[in-house]
Amino acid sequence: MDDAARTADFTDYVKAREQALARLAYLLTGDRDAAEDLLQNALAKCYRNWERVRGVEQPDAYVRRILINERNSRWRRIVRRADSASSHVLEVHDPPAPPAAVDAAESLDLWRHVQALPRQQRAVLVLRYYEDLTEAQTAQILGCSLGTVKSHTSRALAAMRLKMSEAPA
């Protein structure tokens, strides 16, 4: 595949998946600016390995793993790319408003509790319940054992139950 076709293929993938990936980055970081940085860094790595990524059965799983690895990395590399007339800049937006049946205040309160969790517990909850992945898929993406996923899930839910029961009504 030549460079132009490779770039076009990658651009099509990003345009199709950008909102879901941006939401995942936001949910992992809890901060819009950090999410934008995380997503840009992860997509830069994805582009460098695009031949391999597009060849796997589930490219989203590969990209999720890159996001998790980038989020866990202490040393961020600054990826510079030339702006061109055809460049597509991703923007991370706050999570969408909850459905009409869900109280917006309760949803924000829940999100505050999720953000207060340790990073690994938050990542497990986001992958399990927001991305709707299995425990095995979550363990694979996080690079940990199934038991670790189960214990992080249990601890996170217990912490959230406790915090939410302590919150003033």
Side-chain angles (χ1 to χ4, degrees):
M1 177 180 286
D2 67 0
D3 284 343
R6 179 176 182 260
T7 300
D9 188 42
F10 178 75
T11 301
D12 290 344
Y13 171 78
V14 171
K15 284 181 180 179
R17 300 297 301 145
E18 70 181 308
Q19 290 302 313
L21 295 173
R23 280 191 300 269
L24 176 58
Y26 180 80
L27 292 171
L28 290 172
T29 62
D31 178 77
R32 182 179 176 175
D33 293 331
E36 287 175 355
D37 289 344
L38 173 65
L39 185 56
Q40 290 295 332
N41 290 341
L43 289 175
K45 283 189 174 187
C46 183
Y47 180 73
R48 285 193 298 263
N49 297 303
W50 185 241
E51 293 298 323
R52 184 176 5 169
V53 174
R54 71 185 216 72
V56 299
E57 186 175 323
Q58 295 179 349
D60 282 354
Y62 195 100
V63 176
R64 280 189 205 106
R65 181 66 198 161
I66 293 172
L67 278 166
I68 296 292
N69 286 344
E70 279 296 301
R71 189 215 45 158
N72 289 337
S73 174
R74 292 179 190 253
W75 299 277
R76 300 224 176 236
R77 288 183 232 170
I78 297 173
V79 178
R80 294 183 181 174
R81 59 183 192 157
D83 287 340
S84 66
S86 64
S87 71
H88 183 72
V89 177
L90 296 176
E91 289 185 21
V92 176
H93 301 282
D94 292 331
V102 177
D103 181 14
E106 286 181 19
S107 179
L108 285 174
D109 187 45
L110 175 65
W111 177 237
R112 278 189 218 103
H113 291 300
V114 171
Q115 285 181 304
L117 292 171
R119 289 180 353 170
Q120 199 71 356
Q121 289 179 9
R122 181 178 16 171
V124 167
L125 289 187
V126 167
L127 292 172
R128 289 280 293 123
Y129 300 109
Y130 182 79
E131 290 288 315
D132 200 27
L133 299 179
T134 66
E135 289 171 336
Q137 290 169 321
T138 301
Q140 182 181 13
I141 288 171
L142 294 175
C144 62
S145 71
L146 192 60
T148 300
V149 169
K150 289 179 181 183
S151 66
H152 280 317
T153 302
S154 175
R155 288 180 187 137
L157 292 176
M160 289 193 47
R161 281 186 200 105
L162 180 64
K163 290 289 184 187
M164 292 181 87
S165 68
E166 292 174 353

